[in-house]
Amino acid sequence: MMKIGNRMFDTENNTYIMGILNVTPDSFSDGGKWNNKDAALKHTEQMIQEGADIIDIGGESTRPGYTLLSDEEEMERVVPMIEMVKVNFDIPVSIDTYKSRVAEAAIKAGADLVNDIWGLKYDEKIADVIAENKVACCLMHNRKEAVYENFIEDMLNDLRETVAIAKRAGIADDKIMLDPGVGFGKTYEHNLQAIHQLERLHELSYPILLGTSRKSVIGNTLNLPASERVEGTLVTTVFGVQKRAAFIRVHDVEENKRAILMTKAILGC
């Protein structure tokens, strides 16, 4: 069991949905759509009605070639949105950031989980912020360059380093989930391999989050723009359920919720 905010998540037996709320003008998939507060609230409400279990709020695009934001600018985007979601809805909120100052401000605003795309390796202070505030964290695999000797083994070893950083800072085991980082520091073939061999992450004994929603690995496979990658995403979600991922991070909540329920029904026969 994993406690995030005021909710308990049965990470051994269920697959939960983290719904994406980007408050960025330049996100690869939905840049600028939810910057308006009313639109963001309405979209959050819709995701919750469709089955989201966590809302993941991000203020900086992490698409290839993204522009690095100052801490202040990122905080100006995410803090009011976190406060607004927490006031209006009873749902755990995740902050998608790798910067300690942003994470701290987000936690003060009500964030229950820190989703770090650099697995605590970008900002050495972020692990202490997570530990001191006793919040949950999602730690993702990433590299500056997609150079590996043995991709799966190297990915696991990189994640072991991330876990060691978390442990040294005092982050509790039941506050950690791991993400293979599809689309980050990997070639097209690496991304397919990370999904195909997702079960290998169980060797590290932490809940797994899979985030593939509308990503380039799907676009490159099907030769489709981000707006037409729902079916491809659903296939990866089915794989995630089969390989016992505890969380799926997606844009299209309703479709993925249905895919999860159908997959679980078949597996439970």
Side-chain angles (χ1 to χ4, degrees):
M1 300 293 282
M2 184 176 192
K3 189 176 184 186
I4 304 172
N6 62 1
R7 295 202 189 170
M8 296 299 295
F9 291 84
D10 181 358
T11 56
E12 288 287 318
N13 301 298
N14 283 321
T15 302
Y16 299 96
I17 289 183
M18 179 183 279
I20 299 167
L21 181 64
N22 285 321
V23 286
T24 58
D26 58 346
S27 179
F28 81 97
S29 177
D30 51 3
K33 284 182 80 172
W34 317 120
N35 288 4
N36 174 284
K37 287 185 178 181
D38 289 340
L41 266 185
K42 198 168 182 181
H43 185 54
T44 301
E45 183 176 28
Q46 180 187 351
M47 287 196 289
I48 293 169
Q49 287 173 351
E50 290 177 353
D53 302 288
I54 302 170
I55 301 297
D56 188 48
I57 297 177
E60 178 181 87
S61 173
T62 51
R63 63 185 173 82
Y66 67 92
T67 305
L68 193 70
L69 283 184
S70 69
D71 291 359
E72 285 72 23
E73 195 173 353
E74 192 173 342
M75 286 188 277
E76 282 171 18
R77 289 182 184 181
V78 299
V79 166
M81 203 63 72
I82 292 166
E83 290 173 341
M84 194 170 63
V85 170
K86 294 299 286 189
V87 164
N88 286 276
F89 306 104
D90 179 24
I91 191 166
V93 167
S94 164
I95 174 63
D96 184 357
T97 191
Y98 48 90
K99 301 169 189 166
S100 59
R101 287 184 63 215
V102 178
E104 194 151 28
I107 293 165
K108 282 180 183 166
D112 307 291
L113 183 151
V114 175
N115 183 9
D116 181 356
I117 66 163
W118 281 104
L120 309 178
K121 294 179 181 180
Y122 178 90
D123 182 338
E124 61 184 19
K125 296 177 182 174
I126 197 166
D128 292 329
V129 169
I130 294 165
E132 287 162 12
N133 288 280
K134 294 182 169 59
V135 294
C137 59
C138 179
L139 307 178
M140 196 185 86
H141 176 264
N142 203 343
R143 275 194 183 188
K144 288 180 180 174
E145 292 183 8
V147 179
Y148 303 90
E149 287 185 20
N150 181 316
F151 169 64
I152 293 293
E153 297 303 329
D154 290 353
M155 178 175 71
L156 291 175
N157 285 330
D158 287 353
L159 284 169
R160 287 186 182 99
E161 290 173 4
T162 282
V163 169
I165 296 168
K167 301 292 284 178
R168 281 197 300 273
I171 299 173
D173 276 338
D174 63 358
K175 293 293 185 185
I176 298 170
M177 67 175 82
L178 300 178
D179 177 348
V182 173
F184 292 84
K186 297 169 185 66
T187 65
Y188 170 74
E189 289 77 14
H190 292 149
N191 287 320
L192 291 175
Q193 207 176 340
I195 300 165
H196 183 55
Q197 298 192 49
L198 186 67
E199 72 278 1
R200 291 291 306 276
L201 267 70
H202 289 298
E203 295 173 23
L204 305 179
S205 302
Y206 293 97
I208 297 168
L209 178 141
L210 180 64
T212 58
S213 187
R214 303 184 189 173
K215 285 186 175 174
S216 63
V217 65
I218 296 165
N220 290 337
T221 301
L222 304 177
N223 193 27
L224 290 171
S227 59
E228 296 180 35
R229 298 175 187 171
V230 178
E231 298 94 340
T233 301
L234 296 178
V235 173
T236 65
T237 292
V238 171
F239 260 78
V241 177
Q242 288 178 315
K243 291 170 185 291
R244 295 188 297 114
F247 300 91
I248 305 285
R249 181 180 179 275
V250 295
H251 299 85
D252 307 286
V253 173
E254 185 174 63
E255 295 90 337
N256 282 276
K257 180 73 172 181
R258 290 171 178 172
I260 289 169
L261 292 172
M262 193 68 217
T263 308
K264 284 180 70 68
I266 293 167
L267 292 174
C269 282

